[in-house]
Amino acid sequence: MSGTSSPSTRSEQDLSRTPVLALVQPADQPPERMIEAARRAEDAGLEEVWIWEDCFAASGIGPAAAMLAATRELRVGIGLLPVPLRAPSLTAMELASLASMFPGRFLPGLGHGVLDWMGQAGVRVSSPVTLLREHVDAIRRLLHGEEVTTQGRYVDLDRVRLRFPPEVVPPVLVGGRGPRTLALAGELADGIIMDDAAPEGRALPDRVAQVIEIVGAARDEADREGRAEVIGFLPTASDAEPAFVAEQAHALWQAGVDRVVSFAGGVDGPPAQGDEVLHFVDVLAEVADAMDR
């Protein structure tokens, strides 16, 4: 991959190492309920709301933009956008637009998507990790204001430069489980999104440590400074008490997770939606209070 860089005064979005507890609005949440839940989360004192893009539910960019516009200081994360569904130039344009309109409040994540769904959508490729690598590299460089020319296996760009690169560049996060994807996150991305940090609603510190080791080793080998951000999803059982959720969140933070993003359901039933998401905001507010005491 080749490209022409230009001097830039852009700054990278600061990622505080203070542990964050965030609400997730799962893909089962109807899009018309997302703004209400985001406002409820901000009013309850939560700093972040996350969504993810499932085929064939709500998109990631549209709801993220709406929630950012409907709130005052809330940060919004997308964990994640499947790259096979978009051209990297368009993804970079979308991320840059939101980062420019809401500086410091946007946390986008990328992944290769669920392969069966990518097949349904007609965009499955033979090497998903190669596709993800080429997208992440091009998108990060475009966000930093570079002119990018490349002819890869999947990404082909000819002198592409964003007209409106953001002054505050958002972190580009990567979601995945396999060792190649984790290494890619360490080498090229700003952080890793883990959906297997607590798959049954109980923290798995050993798995978190394993992921941090793989990502960190790849980051060191690439001579990148600093530590990668770690985002860990925490599903909950239908009868989970705030004290138990607080215990699991604390265990994840202790293991090295920076952002614990939690949602109602996902353990003994599907992820919640509608009024159950609003109720879970109150649960997380109690968790946050318990953690502060």
Side-chain angles (χ1 to χ4, degrees):
M1 179 175 284
S2 63
T4 303
S5 302
S6 61
S8 173
T9 59
R10 291 175 184 82
S11 61
E12 294 194 355
Q13 182 173 320
D14 179 54
L15 290 173
S16 171
R17 292 303 176 191
T18 302
V20 172
L21 180 67
L23 169 74
V24 179
Q25 299 204 61
D28 302 69
Q29 174 80 320
E32 64 269 20
R33 301 296 302 270
M34 289 186 179
I35 289 177
E36 179 186 13
R39 286 173 170 162
R40 174 78 71 90
E42 184 171 51
D43 290 343
L46 298 179
E47 300 175 60
E48 294 179 6
V49 168
W50 285 69
I51 56 176
W52 71 70
E53 190 173 78
D54 266 0
C55 296
F56 299 91
S59 71
I61 296 296
M67 288 189 288
L68 286 164
T71 54
R72 302 175 298 277
E73 299 179 351
L74 189 76
R75 294 187 296 270
V76 175
I78 305 178
L80 44 76
L81 298 167
V83 298
L85 295 175
R86 294 176 177 82
S89 52
L90 175 60
T91 301
M93 290 162 59
E94 291 177 321
L95 302 190
S97 296
L98 287 184
S100 295
M101 289 189 286
F102 307 100
R105 296 178 55 199
F106 183 42
L107 302 162
L110 306 175
H112 51 58
V114 177
L115 298 186
D116 287 345
W117 282 341
M118 297 304 101
Q120 280 185 272
V123 293
R124 182 168 179 168
V125 298
S126 59
S127 181
V129 176
T130 301
L131 176 73
L132 181 59
R133 168 180 291 278
E134 293 181 5
H135 275 248
V136 171
D137 184 55
I139 290 166
R140 286 194 81 249
R141 294 170 64 196
L142 289 169
L143 290 175
H144 280 84
E146 294 186 31
E147 179 183 286
V148 178
T149 294
T150 182
Q151 288 184 315
R153 182 172 177 180
Y154 299 108
V155 175
D156 189 351
L157 300 176
D158 180 16
R159 295 167 296 166
V160 175
R161 186 195 299 272
L162 295 182
R163 191 178 303 177
F164 301 109
E167 289 298 322
V168 179
V169 181
V172 175
L173 310 168
V174 162
R177 299 180 182 178
R180 292 177 61 206
T181 304
L182 296 175
L184 185 159
E187 178 188 349
L188 295 178
D190 301 299
I192 182 71
I193 301 170
M194 296 183 62
D195 69 350
D196 59 350
E200 300 299 324
R202 290 183 177 273
L204 298 179
D206 289 346
R207 173 56 178 165
V208 174
Q210 180 186 44
V211 168
I212 290 175
E213 181 178 0
I214 295 171
V215 172
R219 195 172 181 88
D220 290 342
E221 189 166 339
D223 290 327
R224 300 192 62 197
E225 296 181 357
R227 175 182 173 276
E229 185 82 357
V230 181
I231 295 90
F233 277 75
L234 175 61
T236 59
S238 57
D239 59 351
E241 295 291 332
F244 179 79
V245 178
E247 178 183 330
Q248 302 312 308
H250 182 73
L252 290 173
W253 286 328
Q254 289 290 103
V257 172
D258 301 291
R259 285 170 156 78
V260 174
V261 295
S262 188
F263 58 96
V267 174
D268 52 358
Q273 58 177 288
D275 290 342
E276 292 178 88
V277 174
L278 296 180
H279 171 70
F280 193 65
V281 170
D282 299 331
V283 172
L284 288 185
E286 288 188 49
V287 172
D289 287 343
M291 303 294 290
D292 287 340
R293 289 197 293 268

